[in-house]
Amino acid sequence: MNAKAGPTSLPEIDVEEFRKVVRSRRSIRRFTDDPIPEQVLEDCLELATLAPNSSNLQPWEFYVVQTPELKAKVAHACLGQNAAKSAAVLIVVVARPDSWRDHARQALKDWPEETMPPIVEKYYRKVAPIHYNQGPLGVLGLAKKAAGLAVGLTRPVPRGPYSHCEMKIWATKSTALAAQNLMLALRAHGFDSCPMEGFDECRVRKLIKLPAKGLVTMVVAAGRRAENGVYNRQYRFDQRQLVHYL
């Protein structure tokens, strides 16, 4: 992907094709032996990284497990689920609540235009180092929370993240959006996926040599769906129960 590419005009979009992608995406429990072509996998991962994310700090990483021996071990750590055992590839989707400082510096360094708007430069140089920094033992976060409670009595203010725990939530929200992009991209290419939360995180972390502060958000099994890959008919609760118009 060319990070310095300029803006382009909006393409024509066929909503029915998008609807087909969304409606045909299912959590697939069994895959065929067909591999995912390298160029397809690379495209899906690029589309994943185009997901919206907080302050464009991109707090995610993707560990693509393809080698048979390691894939078998990760599948075992995923409790031996059929989706994990039969997948062509396993993608460990990781949230990085600790990468914000380096990524803020990188945003300044890699800005894609000749001139960076002053407000953007100020944000990455001054605002982000205060907003996301929790300080030793979370002391700065507690101070920011107290200040936010006081100022918030008279006007709207950002409410957090105020702790290392809230930073984990912050990173996970953006990472989950990237994972959804990844799964929809796979479906658009004619492949499928299964996002798995059932895994032994300690074992997965050890197998992929994950840095200490990385969080395994999910393990995505990917491949071409087998005929018996869908276990049950899809259903959702009544939309009126869950959508509220105010």
Side-chain angles (χ1 to χ4, degrees), residues 52-68:
N53 61 96
S54 181
S55 299
N56 199 29
L57 290 173
Q58 303 167 57
W60 51 51
E61 290 181 348
F62 302 87
Y63 290 74
V64 184
V65 182
Q66 301 180 98
T67 55

Side-chain angles (χ1 to χ4, degrees), residues 94-243:
V94 174
R96 292 297 303 267
D98 58 321
S99 67
W100 67 266
R101 194 187 305 273
D102 288 340
H103 286 191
R105 292 175 183 145
Q106 188 173 349
L108 290 166
K109 177 177 175 290
D110 294 347
W111 185 253
E113 298 171 358
E114 186 174 344
T115 303
M116 174 177 282
I119 190 171
V120 175
E121 182 174 9
K122 179 181 178 182
Y123 181 82
Y124 286 120
R125 289 193 188 280
K126 297 182 179 181
V127 178
I130 296 174
H131 186 62
Y132 297 109
N133 187 9
Q134 305 306 318
L137 302 177
V139 172
L140 181 55
L142 291 174
K144 290 188 295 181
K145 183 174 184 177
L149 288 172
V151 177
L153 293 173
T154 57
R155 63 182 177 87
V157 294
R159 306 282 181 156
Y162 290 143
S163 67
H164 294 297
C165 182
E166 290 182 13
M167 284 296 292
K168 292 178 181 180
I169 297 172
W170 166 82
T172 299
K173 286 191 291 185
S174 289
T175 302
L177 293 174
Q180 178 72 351
N181 264 28
L182 172 64
M183 291 183 284
L184 291 178
L186 284 162
R187 180 82 287 273
H189 274 287
F191 293 88
D192 283 286
S193 61
C194 182
M196 296 178 290
E197 291 186 294
F199 54 82
D200 183 327
E201 183 173 4
C202 292
R203 283 181 165 80
V204 172
R205 293 173 62 89
K206 184 176 180 180
L207 287 167
I208 66 173
K209 298 179 173 60
L210 186 64
K213 295 185 179 179
L215 304 170
V216 181
T217 300
M218 66 187 76
V219 180
V220 176
R224 193 178 299 281
R225 74 171 68 181
E227 290 186 4
N228 59 345
V230 177
Y231 282 1
N232 301 294
R233 179 178 177 180
Q234 186 181 60
Y235 77 98
R236 290 293 185 267
F237 301 130
D238 191 319
Q239 183 171 310
R240 291 169 295 183
Q241 176 184 342
L242 305 172
V243 179

